[in-house]
Structures are given as C-alpha cells and as structure tokens.
Amino acid sequence: MDIGLFPEDRRIPATALVDILKEMHGVKEDNAITNFHELHDRNLASVVVTRKDADEVDDYYSEHFVTQHDMLRELAIHRSRQVPEEQRERLIVEITRNNLPDWWNEQKEQPFNACLLAISTDESFSSEWCDIQLPKAKLLDYATNLTRIRLERISIPSLKETPVILKKLQKLSLFMCKIGHAFNSIKISEVFPNLEEINIDYCDDLLELPDGLSDLFKLKKLSITHCHNLSALPEEIGDLVNLEVLRLRFCIDLEKIPDSICKLSKLLLLDISDCFSIRNLPGNIGQLRSLKKLSMKNCSRLRELPPSVLDFEHLKDVVCDEELKELWEFYLPADATRKLKLAKDEVNLNWLENHYF
C-alpha cells in the first residue's frame, strides 16, 4: 500500500521507502531492505541495484530501487478509494492537466485523516494548490516536526532566507540536487542541531561542506557519493566525535583526507572507493582504533600505506583492488589475509534508466 503512493513506471528510491517504513511502522533499515527482497521473491515488486561491487556487502542503499507492478498499484489505489477521502490513511492525488478532484474544487474545510499524502501532476498543471488540512501528516507548514527529509532533483534555495530551525530533524538526504548557495552564510548546526545522518549523492555543484558541520555533535553517519567537484574536506571534520560512518565514494576530485580524521575514535567504517585523486592516507590513520571496515578500491594514485596501519586493533575487512592488495599484504601478517577482500566492479547498464528518464 505504501509503494502505491509513488507514480507508475518510475523507480522508487529504496531509501525513500525505508524512511516511510521507519517513521510510520517502526521498521529497522536492514529489515526494510529484507522486506523489499521478499516482495521481489513473491513477484509483487522488483528490486533493482544500479551499481554494486561484486563480493561486497554494504548497508548503504542509495543505488537500490524498487519498481512496482502496475496492477498492484491499481489494487492499492482501489483499496484506498473504498472509504471517503477524508477518512483515508493514504491520500493519493493524481492530476492530469487541471482536472482537479471534486473535493479540491469544493475546498473542504474538514481535516483529512491521512498520514501519508502523494500528489503527482503532469507538466501542464497550472492550478493553485488548495489548503489541505492534514493534522496527522507532516506538511511543510509543520516542518519543525520533521525527523527525516529527502530532496531529489530540485534546486535548494538559500537557507539564510528560511528562518525555520528544524530541531527534530535526524536525517537529511539530498539526491541529484542543485545545492548552489543553500548553505552559504549559515551554520548548518544552528538550522539542524540534532542531525544524526547526512547523505549527499550526485550533487555535482557541491564544492565544499557547509560551515558549522563540525558542530553537529550528534552526527553518526556522513555519506557523500558521486560529488565530483568536491576537492577538499575541512580540517574540522575531526571534531565530529560521534561519527561512526564516513563514506566518500566517487568523489573523484578529492585529493586529501585531513589528518584530523584520526581523532574520530568511534569511526567504524571509512569508504574512499573510487576517489582517484587521493595520493596519501593520513600518517596516523592507525589511531582509528575502532575502525572495522576500510573500503578503498580504485584509488589508483595511492602508491603507499603509512606504517601506522599496523596499529589497527579492530579492523576486520579491507576492501581493495589488485593493485592495493599487494600493498596491504606487505603489512598484514600471514594469518590475517582473511581481512583482505577484492572488489570487482559489477558492470551493467541499470543506472541509465535512473538518471535519464
């Protein structure tokens, strides 16, 4: 029923569905992905992974999508329509041109009972939005109550002009967005003081990280992938004392990892895969005593490892390619070869449909 909220013939980002399941049904992320695969096995939906490293298992799902079967979506809409609009748990509004539903034109004043609202229009839609009262749904008018925000393929305006402080926001996801000057002249820690997770994917105009990022003391996960123009990280990134995951995949212009990351005593995963421009790792990287997994395949300019890699205490997995495997074998004792995992790119064209439709 939740999948039926999304338009036909489009890939649904798995992360968007994960957020719904987490907030509406209390489902953990790993369990949510398991549910999607179960739907796939039952031929009720399809799971598509656009890019994946063969032989590597990761808990990041930005490249996972779900496609629904048209008949099942029709069934979800049919079931939803069995009760009056104002009593539906999920309100699905599909508008072609300016053919608005009757209740839209009537401007009903009574509130709707829906917890989830989905509105889709075509390009010819030009009517004004009506004032929909949805006390159970988190509309932008009630943005201060939002705990998760996902923005996809939009230009983000300057947050300096937006006086709203999202004190309850825990997760912010930006996918293929134009960030522009959105974070200029503000401190992100003042606007989102309780952020625990930031995901920035395919945002080509991201040149630097926002000011005040190091003041996000509750931040546990920072993932920046396929942001090709990001060339440097702030030295203050080492002040994120509770950071557990730092993921920097496909940041091809990123030349250096700041030495300050060695202060991240709680870091469990560091992923710099496909960061072609990185030449050196921080000299004291072995101080990351909690680190369990290090992914660094296709770092083609990295020619040597610092001796401090011998100081890792809890490192279990090093995911690399053939070239880096030789470097690691020099440092790893013979009985620790199990820590090395060779990652082979899985070549497919699944990603084309996602980025060009």
Side-chain angles (χ1 to χ4, degrees), residues 230-232 251-257 277-280:
L230 179 69
S231 59
C251 294
I252 60 177
D253 278 354
L254 186 64
E255 298 180 353
K256 181 182 179 182
I257 303 296
S277 299
I278 292 179
R279 297 178 181 272
N280 301 290

Coordinates of all heavy atoms in Angstrom, one line a residue, residues 230-232 251-257 277-280:
L230 N 33.8 18.1 -5.4 CA 34.2 18.2 -4.0 C 35.7 17.9 -4.0 O 36.1 16.8 -4.2 CB 33.5 17.3 -3.1 CG 33.9 17.4 -1.6 CD1 33.5 18.7 -1.0 CD2 33.3 16.2 -0.8
S231 N 36.6 18.9 -3.7 CA 38.0 18.7 -3.8 C 38.7 18.7 -2.4 O 39.9 18.3 -2.4 CB 38.6 19.8 -4.6 OG 38.4 21.1 -4.1
A232 N 38.0 19.1 -1.4 CA 38.7 19.1 -0.1 C 37.6 18.9 1.0 O 36.4 19.3 0.9 CB 39.4 20.4 0.1
C251 N 34.2 10.5 -5.2 CA 34.5 12.0 -5.1 C 35.8 12.1 -5.8 O 36.9 12.1 -5.2 CB 34.5 12.4 -3.7 SG 32.9 12.4 -2.8
I252 N 35.8 12.2 -7.1 CA 37.0 11.9 -8.0 C 38.0 13.1 -7.9 O 39.1 12.9 -8.2 CB 36.6 11.7 -9.4 CG1 35.8 12.8 -10.0 CG2 35.8 10.4 -9.5 CD1 35.5 12.6 -11.5
D253 N 37.5 14.3 -7.4 CA 38.5 15.4 -7.3 C 39.0 15.5 -5.9 O 39.9 16.4 -5.6 CB 37.8 16.7 -7.7 CG 37.8 16.9 -9.2 OD1 38.4 16.1 -9.9 OD2 37.2 17.9 -9.7
L254 N 38.6 14.7 -5.0 CA 39.0 14.8 -3.6 C 40.5 14.3 -3.5 O 40.8 13.2 -3.9 CB 38.2 13.9 -2.7 CG 38.4 14.0 -1.2 CD1 38.1 15.4 -0.7 CD2 37.6 13.0 -0.5
E255 N 41.4 15.2 -3.1 CA 42.8 15.0 -3.2 C 43.4 14.5 -1.9 O 44.5 13.9 -1.8 CB 43.6 16.2 -3.6 CG 43.2 16.7 -5.0 CD 43.9 17.9 -5.5 OE1 44.6 18.5 -4.6 OE2 43.8 18.3 -6.7
K256 N 42.7 14.8 -0.7 CA 43.3 14.5 0.5 C 42.3 14.2 1.6 O 41.2 14.8 1.6 CB 44.2 15.8 1.0 CG 44.9 15.6 2.3 CD 45.6 16.9 2.6 CE 46.4 16.7 4.0 NZ 47.1 18.0 4.4
I257 N 42.7 13.3 2.5 CA 41.9 13.1 3.7 C 42.5 13.8 4.8 O 43.7 13.6 5.1 CB 41.8 11.6 4.0 CG1 41.2 10.8 2.8 CG2 41.0 11.3 5.3 CD1 39.8 11.1 2.5
S277 N 41.8 10.7 -7.0 CA 42.9 11.7 -6.8 C 43.6 11.6 -5.5 O 44.6 12.4 -5.3 CB 42.2 13.1 -6.9 OG 41.7 13.3 -8.2
I278 N 43.2 10.8 -4.6 CA 43.8 10.7 -3.3 C 45.2 10.0 -3.5 O 45.3 8.9 -4.0 CB 43.0 9.9 -2.3 CG1 41.7 10.7 -1.9 CG2 43.8 9.6 -1.0 CD1 40.8 10.0 -1.0
R279 N 46.2 10.7 -3.0 CA 47.6 10.1 -3.1 C 48.1 9.5 -1.8 O 49.0 8.6 -1.9 CB 48.5 11.2 -3.6 CG 48.2 11.8 -4.9 CD 49.2 12.9 -5.3 NE 48.8 13.5 -6.6 CZ 49.3 13.1 -7.8 NH1 50.1 12.0 -7.8 NH2 49.0 13.7 -8.9
N280 N 47.6 10.0 -0.7 CA 48.2 9.5 0.6 C 47.1 9.4 1.6 O 46.1 10.1 1.6 CB 49.2 10.5 1.1 CG 50.4 10.7 0.2 OD1 51.2 9.8 0.0 ND2 50.5 11.9 -0.4

